Coordinates of all heavy atoms in Angstrom, one line a residue:
M1 N -50.4 41.9 33.7 CA -49.7 43.2 33.9 C -50.7 44.4 34.2 O -51.6 44.5 33.4 CB -48.8 43.5 32.6 CG -47.9 44.6 32.8 SD -46.7 44.7 31.5 CE -47.6 45.5 30.2
Q2 N -50.3 45.0 35.3 CA -51.2 46.1 35.7 C -50.8 47.4 35.0 O -49.7 47.5 34.3 CB -51.0 46.3 37.2 CG -51.5 45.1 38.0 CD -51.3 45.2 39.5 OE1 -51.1 46.4 40.0 NE2 -51.3 44.3 40.3
L3 N -51.7 48.4 35.0 CA -51.5 49.6 34.4 C -50.3 50.4 34.7 O -49.6 50.8 33.9 CB -52.8 50.6 34.4 CG -53.9 50.2 33.8 CD1 -55.0 51.1 34.1 CD2 -53.8 50.0 32.2
D4 N -49.9 50.2 36.0 CA -48.7 50.9 36.4 C -47.5 50.1 36.3 O -46.3 50.5 36.8 CB -48.9 51.5 37.9 CG -49.1 50.4 38.9 OD1 -49.4 49.3 38.5 OD2 -49.0 50.6 40.2
E5 N -47.5 48.9 35.9 CA -46.3 48.0 35.7 C -45.8 48.2 34.4 O -46.5 48.1 33.4 CB -46.9 46.6 36.0 CG -45.7 45.6 36.1 CD -46.3 44.2 36.3 OE1 -47.5 43.9 36.1 OE2 -45.6 43.4 37.0
L6 N -44.5 48.3 34.3 CA -43.8 48.4 33.1 C -43.5 46.9 32.5 O -43.0 46.1 33.2 CB -42.4 49.1 33.2 CG -42.6 50.7 33.4 CD1 -41.2 51.2 33.6 CD2 -43.3 51.3 32.3
E7 N -43.6 46.7 31.3 CA -43.4 45.4 30.5 C -41.9 45.2 30.8 O -41.5 44.0 31.0 CB -43.8 45.5 29.1 CG -43.6 44.1 28.5 CD -44.0 44.1 26.9 OE1 -44.8 45.0 26.6 OE2 -43.5 43.3 26.2
L8 N -41.1 46.2 30.8 CA -39.6 46.0 30.9 C -39.2 45.5 32.2 O -38.0 45.1 32.4 CB -38.8 47.2 30.4 CG -39.0 47.6 29.0 CD1 -38.1 48.8 28.7 CD2 -38.6 46.5 28.1
D9 N -40.0 45.6 33.3 CA -39.7 45.0 34.6 C -39.8 43.6 34.6 O -39.3 43.0 35.6 CB -40.7 45.7 35.6 CG -40.5 47.1 35.9 OD1 -39.5 47.7 35.6 OD2 -41.5 47.8 36.5
L10 N -40.2 43.0 33.6 CA -40.4 41.5 33.4 C -39.4 41.0 32.3 O -39.1 41.8 31.4 CB -41.9 41.2 33.1 CG -42.9 41.6 34.0 CD1 -44.3 41.4 33.5 CD2 -42.7 41.0 35.4
P11 N -39.1 39.7 32.4 CA -38.3 39.3 31.3 C -39.1 39.2 30.0 O -40.3 39.2 29.9 CB -37.9 37.9 31.7 CG -38.8 37.5 32.9 CD -39.3 38.8 33.4
P12 N -38.4 39.3 28.8 CA -39.2 39.2 27.5 C -40.0 38.0 27.6 O -39.8 36.9 28.0 CB -38.1 39.1 26.5 CG -36.9 39.6 27.1 CD -37.0 39.3 28.5
A13 N -41.2 38.0 26.9 CA -42.2 36.9 26.8 C -41.6 35.8 25.7 O -42.0 34.6 25.9 CB -43.6 37.5 26.2
F14 N -40.8 36.2 24.8 CA -40.3 35.3 23.8 C -38.8 35.4 23.8 O -38.3 36.3 24.3 CB -40.9 35.6 22.4 CG -42.2 35.7 22.4 CD1 -42.8 37.0 22.3 CD2 -43.1 34.6 22.5 CE1 -44.3 37.2 22.2 CE2 -44.5 34.8 22.5 CZ -45.0 36.0 22.2
E15 N -38.1 34.3 23.4 CA -36.7 34.3 23.3 C -36.3 34.3 21.8 O -37.0 33.9 20.9 CB -36.2 33.0 23.8 CG -36.4 32.8 25.4 CD -35.9 31.4 25.8 OE1 -35.3 30.7 25.2 OE2 -36.1 31.2 27.0
I16 N -35.1 34.7 21.6 CA -34.5 34.7 20.2 C -34.6 33.3 19.7 O -34.1 32.4 20.5 CB -33.1 35.3 20.2 CG1 -33.1 36.7 20.5 CG2 -32.5 35.0 18.8 CD1 -31.9 37.6 20.6
G17 N -35.1 33.1 18.5 CA -35.2 31.8 17.9 C -36.6 31.1 18.1 O -36.8 30.1 17.5
S18 N -37.4 31.7 18.9 CA -38.8 31.3 19.1 C -39.6 31.3 18.0 O -39.5 32.3 17.2 CB -39.4 31.9 20.3 OG -38.7 31.8 21.5
K19 N -40.4 30.3 17.7 CA -41.3 30.3 16.6 C -42.5 30.9 17.0 O -43.1 30.5 18.1 CB -41.5 28.9 15.9 CG -42.4 28.9 14.7 CD -42.6 27.5 14.2 CE -43.3 27.4 12.9 NZ -43.3 26.1 12.3
V20 N -43.1 31.9 16.4 CA -44.3 32.6 16.7 C -45.2 32.7 15.7 O -44.9 32.6 14.5 CB -43.9 34.0 17.3 CG1 -43.2 34.0 18.6 CG2 -43.1 34.9 16.3
R21 N -46.4 33.0 16.0 CA -47.6 33.3 14.9 C -48.2 34.7 15.4 O -48.4 35.0 16.4 CB -48.5 32.1 15.2 CG -49.8 32.3 14.3 CD -50.7 30.9 14.3 NE -50.8 30.3 15.6 CZ -50.3 29.1 15.9 NH1 -49.9 28.3 14.7 NH2 -50.4 28.4 16.9
T22 N -48.6 35.3 14.4 CA -49.3 36.6 14.5 C -50.8 36.3 14.9 O -51.3 35.4 14.5 CB -49.3 37.4 13.2 OG1 -49.9 36.7 12.2 CG2 -47.9 37.8 12.9
R23 N -51.2 37.1 15.9 CA -52.5 37.1 16.3 C -53.5 38.0 15.5 O -54.7 37.8 15.7 CB -52.6 37.5 17.7 CG -51.7 36.5 18.7 CD -51.6 37.0 20.1 NE -53.0 36.6 20.8 CZ -53.4 37.0 21.8 NH1 -52.6 37.8 22.6 NH2 -54.6 36.7 22.3
K24 N -52.9 38.8 14.7 CA -53.7 39.8 13.9 C -52.9 40.2 12.7 O -51.8 40.0 12.6 CB -54.2 41.0 14.8 CG -52.8 41.8 15.3 CD -53.4 43.1 16.0 CE -52.6 44.2 15.7 NZ -53.2 45.5 16.1
L25 N -53.7 40.9 11.8 CA -53.0 41.4 10.7 C -52.0 42.6 11.0 O -52.5 43.4 11.9 CB -54.2 42.0 9.8 CG -53.7 42.6 8.4 CD1 -53.3 41.7 7.5 CD2 -54.9 43.5 7.9
I26 N -50.8 42.6 10.5 CA -49.9 43.5 10.7 C -49.7 44.4 9.5 O -49.4 43.9 8.5 CB -48.5 42.9 11.2 CG1 -48.6 41.9 12.2 CG2 -47.5 44.1 11.5 CD1 -49.0 42.6 13.5
R27 N -50.0 45.7 9.5 CA -49.9 46.7 8.5 C -48.7 47.6 8.7 O -48.4 47.9 9.8 CB -51.1 47.4 8.3 CG -52.3 46.6 7.8 CD -53.4 47.4 7.5 NE -54.7 46.7 7.0 CZ -54.8 46.2 5.9 NH1 -53.9 46.5 4.9 NH2 -55.9 45.5 5.5
N28 N -48.1 48.2 7.8 CA -47.1 49.1 7.8 C -47.7 50.4 8.4 O -48.5 51.0 7.8 CB -46.5 49.5 6.6 CG -45.3 50.4 6.5 OD1 -44.7 50.7 7.7 ND2 -44.8 50.9 5.4
D29 N -47.2 50.9 9.5 CA -47.6 52.1 10.1 C -46.8 53.2 9.8 O -46.8 54.3 10.3 CB -47.7 52.0 11.6 CG -46.3 51.7 12.3 OD1 -45.3 51.6 11.6 OD2 -46.2 51.5 13.5
G30 N -45.9 53.1 8.8 CA -45.0 54.1 8.3 C -43.5 53.9 8.7 O -42.8 54.6 8.3
T31 N -43.3 52.8 9.6 CA -42.0 52.6 10.1 C -41.2 51.5 9.3 O -40.0 51.4 9.5 CB -42.0 52.2 11.6 OG1 -42.8 51.0 11.7 CG2 -42.5 53.4 12.4
Y32 N -41.9 50.9 8.4 CA -41.3 49.9 7.6 C -40.8 50.6 6.1 O -41.7 50.8 5.4 CB -42.2 48.6 7.3 CG -41.4 47.4 6.8 CD1 -40.8 46.5 7.6 CD2 -41.2 47.3 5.5 CE1 -40.2 45.4 7.1 CE2 -40.5 46.2 4.9 CZ -39.9 45.3 5.9 OH -39.2 44.3 5.4
P33 N -39.7 50.6 6.0 CA -39.1 51.2 4.8 C -39.5 50.5 3.5 O -39.4 49.2 3.5 CB -37.7 51.4 4.9 CG -37.2 50.3 5.8 CD -38.4 50.1 6.8
G34 N -39.7 51.2 2.4 CA -39.9 50.5 1.1 C -41.3 49.9 0.9 O -41.6 49.4 -0.2
Q35 N -42.1 50.1 1.7 CA -43.6 49.7 1.7 C -44.5 50.9 2.0 O -44.2 51.7 2.8 CB -43.9 48.6 2.7 CG -43.1 47.2 2.3 CD -43.5 46.6 1.1 OE1 -44.7 46.5 0.9 NE2 -42.6 46.1 0.4
E36 N -45.6 50.9 1.3 CA -46.6 52.0 1.4 C -47.2 51.9 2.8 O -47.2 50.7 3.4 CB -47.7 51.9 0.4 CG -47.2 52.0 -1.0 CD -46.9 53.5 -1.3 OE1 -47.6 54.4 -0.8 OE2 -45.9 53.7 -2.1
I37 N -47.6 53.0 3.3 CA -48.3 52.9 4.7 C -49.5 52.3 4.5 O -50.3 52.4 3.4 CB -48.6 54.4 5.2 CG1 -47.3 55.2 5.5 CG2 -49.5 54.5 6.3 CD1 -47.4 56.6 5.9
G38 N -49.9 51.3 5.3 CA -51.1 50.4 5.2 C -51.0 49.2 4.6 O -51.7 48.4 4.5
A39 N -49.7 48.9 3.9 CA -49.4 47.7 3.2 C -49.4 46.6 4.3 O -48.8 46.8 5.4 CB -48.1 47.8 2.5
T40 N -49.8 45.4 3.8 CA -49.9 44.3 4.7 C -48.4 43.7 4.8 O -47.8 43.4 3.8 CB -50.8 43.1 4.1 OG1 -52.1 43.8 4.2 CG2 -50.7 41.9 5.1
L41 N -47.9 43.6 6.0 CA -46.6 43.0 6.3 C -46.6 41.6 6.7 O -45.9 40.8 6.4 CB -45.8 43.9 7.3 CG -45.6 45.3 7.0 CD1 -45.0 46.0 8.1 CD2 -44.8 45.5 5.7
A42 N -47.7 41.3 7.5 CA -48.1 39.8 7.9 C -49.5 39.7 8.1 O -50.2 40.6 8.7 CB -47.2 39.5 9.1
N43 N -50.0 38.6 7.6 CA -51.4 38.2 7.9 C -51.7 37.6 9.2 O -50.7 37.0 9.8 CB -51.9 37.4 6.7 CG -52.0 38.0 5.4 OD1 -52.7 39.1 5.2 ND2 -51.2 37.5 4.4
K44 N -52.8 37.5 9.7 CA -53.2 36.8 10.9 C -52.8 35.5 10.7 O -53.1 34.8 9.7 CB -54.7 36.9 11.2 CG -55.1 36.2 12.5 CD -56.6 36.6 12.7 CE -56.9 35.9 14.1 NZ -58.3 36.1 14.5
R45 N -52.1 34.8 11.7 CA -51.7 33.4 11.8 C -50.4 33.1 11.0 O -50.0 32.0 10.8 CB -52.9 32.4 11.4 CG -54.0 32.5 12.3 CD -55.1 31.5 12.4 NE -54.5 30.2 12.7 CZ -54.3 29.7 13.9 NH1 -54.3 30.6 14.9 NH2 -53.8 28.5 14.0
D46 N -49.8 34.1 10.4 CA -48.5 33.9 9.7 C -47.5 33.5 10.9 O -47.6 33.9 12.0 CB -48.0 35.2 9.0 CG -48.6 35.3 7.6 OD1 -49.4 34.5 7.2 OD2 -48.3 36.4 7.0
T47 N -46.6 32.6 10.4 CA -45.6 32.3 11.3 C -44.1 32.8 11.1 O -43.8 33.1 9.9 CB -45.3 30.8 11.5 OG1 -45.2 30.1 10.2 CG2 -46.6 30.1 12.0
G48 N -43.3 33.0 11.9 CA -42.0 33.6 11.8 C -41.2 33.3 13.0 O -41.6 32.5 14.0
Y49 N -39.9 33.7 13.1 CA -38.9 33.5 14.2 C -38.5 34.7 14.7 O -38.1 35.7 13.9 CB -37.8 32.6 13.6 CG -38.2 31.2 13.2 CD1 -38.7 31.0 11.9 CD2 -38.2 30.2 14.2 CE1 -39.1 29.7 11.5 CE2 -38.6 28.9 13.7 CZ -39.1 28.7 12.4 OH -39.5 27.5 12.0
I50 N -38.3 34.7 16.1 CA -37.7 35.9 16.8 C -36.2 35.9 16.3 O -35.6 35.1 16.6 CB -38.0 36.0 18.2 CG1 -39.4 35.8 18.6 CG2 -37.3 37.2 18.9 CD1 -40.3 36.9 18.5
V51 N -35.8 37.2 15.8 CA -34.3 37.3 15.5 C -33.7 38.4 16.4 O -32.4 38.4 16.4 CB -34.1 37.6 13.9 CG1 -34.6 36.5 13.1 CG2 -34.8 38.9 13.6
S52 N -34.5 39.2 17.0 CA -33.9 40.1 17.9 C -34.9 40.7 18.9 O -36.2 40.8 18.5 CB -33.0 41.2 17.2 OG -33.9 42.1 16.6
I53 N -34.6 41.3 20.0 CA -35.5 41.9 20.9 C -35.0 43.2 21.3 O -33.8 43.4 21.7 CB -35.6 41.0 22.2 CG1 -36.0 39.5 21.8 CG2 -36.6 41.7 23.2 CD1 -35.9 38.6 23.0
G54 N -35.9 44.3 21.1 CA -35.5 45.6 21.5 C -36.5 46.2 22.3 O -37.4 45.5 23.0
T55 N -36.5 47.5 22.5 CA -37.5 48.2 23.3 C -38.1 49.3 22.6 O -37.7 49.8 21.7 CB -36.9 48.6 24.7 OG1 -35.9 49.7 24.3 CG2 -36.3 47.5 25.5
F56 N -39.3 49.8 23.1 CA -40.1 50.8 22.5 C -40.5 51.8 23.8 O -41.2 51.3 24.7 CB -41.3 50.3 21.8 CG -42.2 51.3 21.3 CD1 -41.8 52.2 20.2 CD2 -43.4 51.6 21.8 CE1 -42.6 53.1 19.7 CE2 -44.3 52.5 21.3 CZ -43.9 53.2 20.3
L57 N -40.1 53.0 23.6 CA -40.4 54.0 24.5 C -40.2 53.8 26.0 O -40.8 54.1 27.0 CB -42.0 54.4 24.4 CG -42.5 55.0 23.2 CD1 -43.9 55.3 23.2 CD2 -41.7 56.4 22.9
Q58 N -38.9 53.0 26.2 CA -38.6 52.4 27.5 C -39.7 51.9 28.4 O -39.6 51.9 29.6 CB -38.1 53.7 28.2 CG -36.8 54.3 27.4 CD -36.2 55.5 28.2 OE1 -36.8 56.0 29.1 NE2 -35.1 55.9 27.7
N59 N -40.8 51.3 27.7 CA -41.8 50.6 28.6 C -42.2 49.3 28.0 O -42.9 48.5 28.7 CB -43.0 51.5 28.8 CG -43.7 51.9 27.7 OD1 -43.4 51.4 26.6 ND2 -44.7 52.7 27.9
S60 N -41.8 48.9 26.7 CA -42.3 47.7 26.3 C -41.3 47.0 25.3 O -40.4 47.7 24.9 CB -43.6 47.8 25.5 OG -43.5 48.7 24.4
Y61 N -41.3 45.7 25.1 CA -40.4 45.0 24.2 C -41.0 45.1 22.8 O -42.2 45.0 22.7 CB -40.3 43.5 24.7 CG -39.5 43.4 25.9 CD1 -40.2 42.9 27.1 CD2 -38.1 43.6 26.0 CE1 -39.5 42.7 28.2 CE2 -37.5 43.3 27.2 CZ -38.1 43.0 28.3 OH -37.4 42.7 29.4
I62 N -40.0 45.1 21.8 CA -40.4 44.9 20.4 C -39.6 43.6 20.0 O -38.4 43.6 20.1 CB -40.0 46.2 19.6 CG1 -40.9 47.4 19.9 CG2 -40.2 45.9 18.1 CD1 -42.4 47.3 19.7
Y63 N -40.3 42.8 19.4 CA -39.7 41.6 18.8 C -39.6 41.6 17.3 O -40.6 41.8 16.6 CB -40.7 40.4 19.2 CG -40.8 40.2 20.7 CD1 -41.8 40.8 21.3 CD2 -39.9 39.5 21.5 CE1 -42.1 40.8 22.7 CE2 -40.0 39.5 22.9 CZ -41.1 40.3 23.4 OH -41.3 40.1 24.9
A64 N -38.4 41.5 16.8 CA -38.1 41.5 15.4 C -38.5 40.1 14.9 O -37.8 39.3 15.3 CB -36.7 41.9 15.1
V65 N -39.4 40.0 14.1 CA -39.9 38.7 13.6 C -39.6 38.5 12.2 O -40.0 39.4 11.4 CB -41.4 38.4 13.9 CG1 -41.9 37.1 13.4 CG2 -41.8 38.6 15.3
H66 N -38.8 37.4 11.9 CA -38.5 37.2 10.4 C -39.5 36.3 9.9 O -39.7 35.1 10.3 CB -37.0 36.6 10.3 CG -36.7 36.4 8.9 ND1 -35.7 35.7 8.6 CD2 -37.1 36.8 7.7 CE1 -35.5 35.5 7.3 NE2 -36.5 36.3 6.7
F67 N -40.4 36.9 9.0 CA -41.5 36.1 8.3 C -40.7 35.5 7.0 O -40.7 36.2 6.0 CB -42.6 36.9 8.0 CG -43.3 37.3 9.2 CD1 -43.1 38.6 9.8 CD2 -44.1 36.4 9.9 CE1 -43.7 39.1 10.9 CE2 -44.9 36.9 11.1 CZ -44.6 38.2 11.6
I68 N -40.3 34.3 7.0 CA -39.4 33.7 6.0 C -40.1 33.7 4.7 O -39.7 34.1 3.7 CB -38.9 32.4 6.4 CG1 -38.0 32.5 7.7 CG2 -38.2 31.6 5.2 CD1 -37.7 31.2 8.3
D69 N -41.4 33.3 4.8 CA -42.2 33.3 3.4 C -42.4 34.6 2.8 O -42.4 34.5 1.6 CB -43.7 32.6 3.7 CG -43.5 31.2 4.1 OD1 -42.5 30.5 4.0 OD2 -44.4 30.7 4.6
K70 N -42.5 35.6 3.6 CA -42.6 37.0 3.0 C -41.4 37.7 2.8 O -41.4 38.6 2.1 CB -43.6 37.9 3.9 CG -44.9 37.3 4.3 CD -45.9 38.4 4.4 CE -47.3 37.7 4.6 NZ -48.1 37.5 3.5
G71 N -40.3 37.3 3.5 CA -39.0 38.0 3.3 C -38.9 39.2 4.1 O -38.0 40.0 3.9
F72 N -39.9 39.4 5.1 CA -39.9 40.6 5.8 C -39.4 40.4 7.2 O -39.7 39.2 7.8 CB -41.3 41.3 6.0 CG -41.8 41.8 4.7 CD1 -43.2 41.8 4.5 CD2 -41.1 42.3 3.8 CE1 -43.8 42.3 3.4 CE2 -41.6 42.9 2.7 CZ -43.0 42.8 2.4
I73 N -38.7 41.3 8.0 CA -38.4 41.3 9.3 C -39.3 42.4 9.9 O -39.0 43.6 9.5 CB -36.9 41.3 9.7 CG1 -36.2 40.2 9.1 CG2 -36.8 41.4 11.2 CD1 -34.7 40.3 9.4
V74 N -40.2 42.2 10.7 CA -41.2 43.1 11.1 C -41.1 43.2 12.7 O -41.0 42.2 13.4 CB -42.5 42.7 10.8 CG1 -43.6 43.7 11.4 CG2 -42.6 42.5 9.3
G75 N -41.1 44.5 13.2 CA -41.2 44.6 14.7 C -42.7 44.5 15.2 O -43.5 45.1 14.7
C76 N -42.7 43.7 16.1 CA -44.2 43.3 16.6 C -44.0 43.4 18.3 O -43.1 43.2 18.9 CB -44.5 41.8 16.4 SG -44.7 41.6 14.6
R77 N -45.2 43.8 18.7 CA -45.4 43.8 20.2 C -45.9 42.4 20.8 O -46.4 41.7 20.0 CB -46.3 44.9 20.6 CG -45.7 46.2 20.2 CD -46.3 47.4 20.8 NE -46.3 47.3 22.3 CZ -47.0 48.2 23.0 NH1 -47.7 49.2 22.4 NH2 -47.0 48.1 24.3
K78 N -45.7 42.2 22.0 CA -46.1 40.9 22.6 C -47.6 40.7 22.3 O -47.9 39.5 22.0 CB -45.9 41.1 24.1 CG -46.4 39.8 25.0 CD -46.1 40.0 26.5 CE -47.2 39.3 27.2 NZ -47.0 39.6 28.7
K79 N -48.6 41.6 22.4 CA -50.0 41.3 22.3 C -50.2 41.0 20.8 O -51.4 40.4 20.5 CB -50.7 42.5 22.6 CG -50.5 43.8 21.8 CD -51.4 45.0 22.3 CE -51.1 46.1 21.4 NZ -51.9 47.3 21.8
E80 N -49.3 41.1 19.9 CA -49.6 40.8 18.4 C -49.1 39.4 18.1 O -49.2 38.9 17.0 CB -48.8 41.8 17.5 CG -49.3 43.3 17.6 CD -48.5 44.2 17.0 OE1 -47.4 44.1 17.0 OE2 -49.1 45.2 16.4
L81 N -48.5 38.7 19.1 CA -47.8 37.3 18.9 C -48.3 36.3 19.8 O -48.7 36.6 20.9 CB -46.3 37.5 18.9 CG -45.6 38.5 17.9 CD1 -44.1 38.7 18.5 CD2 -45.8 38.1 16.6
E82 N -48.2 35.2 19.4 CA -48.2 33.9 20.3 C -47.4 32.8 19.9 O -46.8 32.8 18.8 CB -49.7 33.3 20.2 CG -50.0 32.8 18.8 CD -51.6 32.4 18.7 OE1 -52.3 32.8 19.7 OE2 -51.9 31.8 17.8
L83 N -46.8 32.2 20.9 CA -45.7 31.1 20.7 C -46.4 30.0 20.0 O -47.5 29.5 20.3 CB -45.2 30.8 22.0 CG -44.1 29.8 22.1 CD1 -42.8 30.5 21.4 CD2 -43.7 29.4 23.7
V84 N -45.6 29.4 19.0 CA -46.0 28.2 18.3 C -45.4 27.1 19.1 O -44.2 26.9 19.1 CB -45.6 28.3 16.8 CG1 -45.9 26.9 16.2 CG2 -46.3 29.3 16.1
E85 N -46.3 26.2 19.6 CA -45.8 24.9 20.3 C -45.5 23.9 19.1 O -46.3 23.5 18.5 CB -46.6 24.4 21.2 CG -47.1 25.5 22.4 CD -45.9 25.6 23.3 OE1 -45.0 24.8 23.5 OE2 -45.9 26.8 23.9
E86 N -44.2 23.3 19.1 CA -43.8 22.4 18.2 C -43.7 21.0 18.9 O -43.3 21.0 19.9 CB -42.6 22.8 17.5 CG -42.7 24.1 16.7 CD -41.5 24.2 15.7 OE1 -41.0 23.2 15.1 OE2 -40.9 25.3 15.7
L87 N -44.3 20.1 18.2 CA -44.1 18.7 18.7 C -42.7 18.1 18.3 O -42.2 18.2 17.2 CB -45.2 17.7 18.0 CG -46.7 18.1 18.3 CD1 -47.6 17.2 17.6 CD2 -46.9 18.0 19.8
N88 N -42.1 17.5 19.3 CA -40.7 17.0 19.1 C -40.8 15.5 18.8 O -41.6 14.8 19.1 CB -39.8 17.3 20.3 CG -39.5 18.7 20.6 OD1 -39.6 19.5 19.6 ND2 -39.4 19.1 21.8

């Protein structure tokens, strides 16, 4: 994606129901209620499932990821996630 290209001009990178893994530590930036700012919401390599897709500042997607083991649903950006390939 180029600097002048909006992420929203492209389809979402993940679909609802996709199993994803975090690429980095996710901390509360103050937008997650009930947790202190800086609290860990998901560790690097935690897995979860996309439960909804929204937008942020009309230029990027936000993926609501349900981390079942933690009991949190956390908004993540595409660069914070990777698809988990499952063997059938």
